[in-house]
Amino acid sequence: APDFTLPSTKGSISLGELLKTKSVLLAFYTEDHTLECQGELTLLKEEYSIFEYLEAEVLGIGVDTLESHRALLKRLGSLPYPLVSVKGLTLCATYGVLDKTGKRYRRAVYIINRWGNIALIIPEFEPSNQDQFMYILQALGLNVLDESL
């Protein structure tokens, strides 16, 4: 997976450094002020203990400024994971998550395993889609059997 080091609401974040100890869920989202994106970030907040159990870190990645991300954190009542601020669309192009307007990110999820390999791509993430969430958990190593749900 392409490495990056970027500013976040919890200081500078390096994908390569995180991957030394855990898998990483990259949650790309359109912008801080859309309800759908806030829903995506809230879902990941509500399920964060599962990600911790699976030894994974979540990174919310958007093109908004750190100031905008911090305002969003206040509205959402904080998040247990950082929001990464990206200037420009280079990372977006690298990961192929540019939306149809060509000006911002799509809601997309990447799972990067500890070896730096992309284990899962959900190019159009829908927070209400339970199947997509199960794919995320499986890519992180949770053995999910349909019969047990």
Side-chain angles (χ1 to χ4, degrees), residues 13-25:
I13 296 285
S14 167
L15 179 61
E17 286 299 312
L18 286 174
L19 290 172
K20 289 180 180 178
T21 59
K22 54 185 74 174
S23 297
V24 177
L25 185 159

Side-chain angles (χ1 to χ4, degrees), residues 96-114:
V97 295
L98 192 63
D99 77 356
K100 292 175 186 173
T101 69
K103 297 178 182 177
R104 57 187 191 175
Y105 294 169
R106 290 190 319 264
R107 281 189 318 276
V109 167
Y110 275 68
I111 302 296
I112 315 298
N113 65 25
R114 290 179 202 166

Side-chain angles (χ1 to χ4, degrees), residues 38-120:
Q38 291 175 25
E40 175 184 2
L41 298 173
T42 299
L43 168 71
L44 298 173
K45 173 185 176 178
E46 291 169 351
E47 303 299 342
Y48 190 76
S49 63
I50 295 171
F51 301 127
E52 284 183 309
Y53 173 78
L54 295 171
E55 297 180 354
E57 182 57 85
V58 175
L59 298 179
I61 303 176
V63 296
D64 292 301
T65 64
L66 283 177
E67 196 173 276
S68 177
H69 286 342
R70 288 185 183 109
L72 175 62
L73 290 176
K74 287 182 182 177
R75 285 195 306 279
L76 296 178
S78 81
L79 293 172
Y81 56 87
L83 296 179
V84 176
S85 181
V86 181
K87 290 182 181 178
L89 299 174
T90 305
L91 187 67
C92 174
T94 300
Y95 278 91
V97 295
L98 192 63
D99 77 356
K100 292 175 186 173
T101 69
K103 297 178 182 177
R104 57 187 191 175
Y105 294 169
R106 290 190 319 264
R107 281 189 318 276
V109 167
Y110 275 68
I111 302 296
I112 315 298
N113 65 25
R114 290 179 202 166
W115 300 274
N117 299 316
I118 297 171
L120 177 70

